[in-house]
Amino acid sequence: MNIILLGPPGAGKGTQSARLVEQYGMHQLSTGDMLRAAVKAKTPVGLEAKAVMERGELVSDEIVSALIDAELGAMAPATGAIFDGYPRTEPQARALDAILERHGRKLDHVIELEVDEDALVDRITGRFTCANCGAGYHDRYHLPKVDGVCDRCGGTEFKRRPDDNEETVRMRMQEYRAKTAPILPVYDARGIVSRVDGMASIEDVTKALDAIVS
Ligand code: AMP
């Protein structure tokens, strides 16, 4: 099974991918995570991507498609793939078709998480994660049970993404509307798009995804 999770920043793609990974043993391919790792490791890709990401703009199609190609190539053929944050442009969607074909895979579902943009700014600007295990929290909606201590692993260090500020979030949404939303009709024409209410609770979104993929 190979699926794309589509939706603007903060729609819940990362959260839901993690749940699919846990439930179905699929593998999450997040270009955002790969790029953040490259920035941290100061690789040539990271050095090129850092400023672009801080502005909320898109990194080049060639870079992200090469990252996806390499990661897919390293996966066992039987393991399902969840594409999270990729493709984000029409050239990336075309590249993904070619990459999937090369790796003997086919696209089963494109799932769009539909959300309200103003609510997203509120969601994104309050989010933070445990620096140790990556568990997600929120200043207003989901604080750790014990102040400053991760519920999952007991870690005491937390981090925030540098691009989770209002100005950058608005730019990331603009990029989504201008460059990513236009790829949906291509998948619609193939009859593989499902739409899910991304404003529902995390549990309810997971249930809706389950119904699509199982
Ligand atoms: P994300 O974690 O998916 O929100 O991505 C964070 C940032 O990484 C984006 O704002 C872009 O600058 C960059 N990025 C991630 N995925 C892509 C992609 N598929 N194409 C271009 N840029 C990307």
Side-chain angles (χ1 to χ4, degrees):
M1 167 99 44
N2 300 286
I3 65 177
I4 296 174
L5 282 187
L6 264 182
K13 301 185 297 290
T15 303
Q16 296 300 334
S17 296
R19 293 182 152 224
L20 290 171
V21 166
E22 209 167 289
Q23 191 156 348
Y24 298 104
M26 298 175 79
H27 183 74
Q28 174 191 13
L29 293 98
S30 158
T31 39
D33 286 350
M34 293 175 205
L35 290 167
R36 278 184 287 280
V39 169
K40 197 169 169 199
K42 297 194 167 72
T43 66
V45 163
L47 293 174
E48 190 174 333
K50 186 169 186 286
V52 178
M53 292 171 75
E54 279 169 4
R55 289 196 299 271
E57 294 168 9
L58 293 183
V59 173
S60 84
D61 293 328
E62 291 71 24
I63 287 182
V64 289
S65 294
L67 290 172
I68 288 286
D69 196 12
E71 183 135 341
L72 210 53
M75 282 170 59
T79 303
I82 309 162
F83 298 97
D84 159 12
Y86 178 93
R88 255 180 163 92
T89 64
E90 284 169 333
Q92 290 179 29
R94 282 195 296 276
L96 180 60
D97 281 341
I99 291 169
L100 286 172
E101 195 178 335
R102 215 166 33 248
H103 294 287
R105 290 174 178 264
K106 83 169 205 342
L107 199 52
D108 298 285
H109 297 285
V110 176
I111 304 173
E112 185 193 10
L113 297 172
E114 294 183 304
V115 281
D116 171 82
E117 238 185 61
D118 286 326
L120 288 190
V121 175
D122 181 51
R123 251 194 210 181
I124 295 186
T125 53
R127 70 184 182 180
F128 62 98
T129 54
C130 169
N132 180 48
C133 75
Y137 296 97
H138 195 283
D139 292 327
R140 292 175 290 283
Y141 309 119
H142 179 203
L143 284 166
K145 292 193 181 76
V146 177
D147 187 25
V149 182
C150 175
D151 296 345
R152 190 154 85 187
C153 75
T156 53
E157 280 191 36
F158 297 87
K159 58 181 186 182
R160 287 172 197 270
R161 283 173 45 171
D163 58 350
D164 275 353
N165 60 78
E166 177 157 359
E167 192 188 344
T168 310
V169 169
R170 297 265 181 213
M171 170 58 84
R172 286 157 62 198
M173 286 182 180
Q174 198 175 309
E175 291 282 62
Y176 181 81
R177 275 196 307 269
K179 297 179 184 154
T180 309
I183 69 182
L184 268 160
V186 175
Y187 295 126
D188 261 327
R190 297 185 201 170
I192 54 172
V193 179
S194 305
R195 294 185 164 82
V196 168
D197 176 11
M199 299 313 294
S201 70
I202 292 177
E203 288 304 327
D204 284 346
V205 175
T206 303
K207 278 192 203 133
L209 294 185
D210 270 344
I212 295 165
V213 302
S214 60

